[in-house]
Amino acid sequence: MVSTLDAAHYVQAPSSELSETMASPASFKLLYFPIVGLGGTSRDILAYAGAEFESIFPGNWGEDKSKTPMGCLPVLFITGKNGKKVTISEATVIEQYLAKQYSLLGDNEYEETLIKSFHSTSYSIQNLFASTITWNQPEASPKCLCYFKANSLPSLCESLERHLQDNGNNGHFVGKKLSLADIRVSNMLEHFAQQPCADELIEILKKFPNLYRMRESVANHPKLAAWRKSEAWISTDKASRAFFENPFAFLS
Ligand SMILES: N[C@@H](CCC(=O)N[C@@H](CS)C(=O)NCC(=O)O)C(=O)O
């Protein structure tokens, strides 16, 4: 469904009511481009939770951009059981809100902090990839990719591999259950698998079996496995691969 946007301003109402909306949501609409990208983790969490949600897409982004809170996507529209509506933006904020809502932030303050660290580092490296490879000048991008493959990616994978080992190599970063850390890092891996240079990146990732196992444990979670077999996920996965073949072609 295409969105009809009017979210340049955050909702202004007594914040206690809006907080109640967020604490007791009835349904969600996630506005993002029709690719996986920075919408993937939030869609995964909503699917995992069995929440009532709809993925919506911008109609004419040139016109819609100024009608979002920060001039970019994703944006999450929340309708509360109290009938009020809240709009929130920024991928990490949306993901952490949804993770809290659906008990994906561990069992205590310490686990939550570790989960947020894995969340943060996966977001950073995806940003690094986007800024130095996806959106770089064609003459600079290959050199950046060489550096990324030789340094940034193996270095992060070594750290992640070690933490998975420390946690008992049970397919999860923290404790014995699925968390935002697992979902976010596996989205990072899916993101790399959607790139034109996926084979080269996957060759590096294969050297890290714990990471590979963690990705499998997310993909095989019954709710997530069903979601990833859905037409909604398959179409965004396919569109992501087409998008990253030539991202500049999509700029108008
Ligand atoms: N700070 C934002 C950045 C999000 C972002 O860069 N979104 C991109 C898509 S992945 C976007 O909206 N691009 C269109 C534009 O900037 O006009 C966040 O973390 O959510």
Side-chain angles (χ1 to χ4, degrees):
M1 187 192 148
V2 171
S3 75
T4 324
L5 259 185
D6 181 17
H9 301 273
Y10 287 117
V11 180
Q12 298 296 318
S15 66
S16 56
E17 285 175 15
L18 301 177
S19 181
E20 196 185 303
T21 304
M22 292 182 73
S24 297
S27 64
F28 301 94
K29 286 184 184 176
L30 184 82
L31 175 65
Y32 189 64
F33 300 101
I35 60 173
V36 178
L38 294 183
T41 299
S42 292
R43 291 190 195 118
D44 275 1
I45 298 173
L46 290 163
Y48 158 82
E52 193 184 320
F53 84 100
E54 194 183 344
S55 288
I56 57 173
F57 310 108
N60 178 336
W61 178 241
E63 287 171 15
D64 285 351
K65 185 174 167 71
S66 62
K67 299 178 193 157
T68 64
M70 301 293 183
C72 57
L73 301 179
V75 171
L76 183 70
F77 301 99
I78 308 164
T79 301
K81 290 185 181 147
N82 63 359
K84 303 233 174 291
K85 291 178 189 293
V86 165
T87 303
I88 62 172
S89 64
E90 294 297 297
T92 55
V93 173
I94 294 170
E95 290 162 14
Q96 291 192 12
Y97 158 69
L98 290 174
K100 183 174 173 192
Q101 195 61 36
Y102 296 113
S103 306
L104 290 166
L105 287 179
D107 288 337
N108 53 48
E109 187 81 22
Y110 182 65
E111 290 191 357
E112 180 173 330
T113 302
L114 295 192
I115 288 166
K116 286 179 174 172
S117 303
F118 296 117
H119 182 252
S120 174
T121 199
S122 67
Y123 192 77
S124 300
I125 198 157
Q126 216 170 303
N127 265 344
L128 177 73
F129 189 88
S131 57
T132 61
I133 297 155
T134 308
W135 295 110
N136 207 342
Q137 300 296 321
E139 57 276 16
S141 181
K143 276 192 190 154
C144 291
L145 178 59
C146 280
Y147 184 85
F148 187 82
K149 287 192 303 180
N151 297 285
S152 318
L153 185 60
S155 162
L156 176 67
C157 289
E158 269 166 34
S159 304
L160 295 177
E161 189 78 354
R162 185 171 69 246
H163 297 304
L164 285 164
Q165 187 70 43
D166 290 347
N167 192 44
N169 196 12
N170 61 7
H172 303 296
F173 278 104
V174 176
K176 294 187 175 136
K177 60 183 185 190
L178 188 75
S179 75
L180 175 65
D182 306 338
I183 296 179
R184 186 64 189 79
V185 175
S186 78
N187 264 267
M188 174 194 88
L189 299 176
E190 301 312 330
H191 184 75
F192 292 146
Q194 289 159 348
Q195 302 303 317
C197 57
D199 289 349
E200 300 159 60
L201 300 176
I202 287 169
E203 211 44 52
I204 296 166
L205 297 172
K206 277 186 184 157
K207 294 179 188 142
F208 301 95
N210 300 346
L211 203 51
Y212 200 82
R213 186 167 304 130
M214 186 282 309
R215 183 187 182 197
E216 294 287 291
S217 80
V218 172
N220 291 334
H221 184 284
K223 285 271 176 61
L224 290 172
W227 164 237
R228 290 185 184 190
K229 279 193 198 116
S230 70
E231 180 48 36
W233 194 86
I234 291 169
S235 64
T236 52
D237 179 56
K238 204 167 148 194
S240 302
R241 289 165 201 270
F243 175 83
F244 291 118
E245 280 296 332
N246 185 5
F248 288 99
F250 288 80
L251 296 179
S252 52

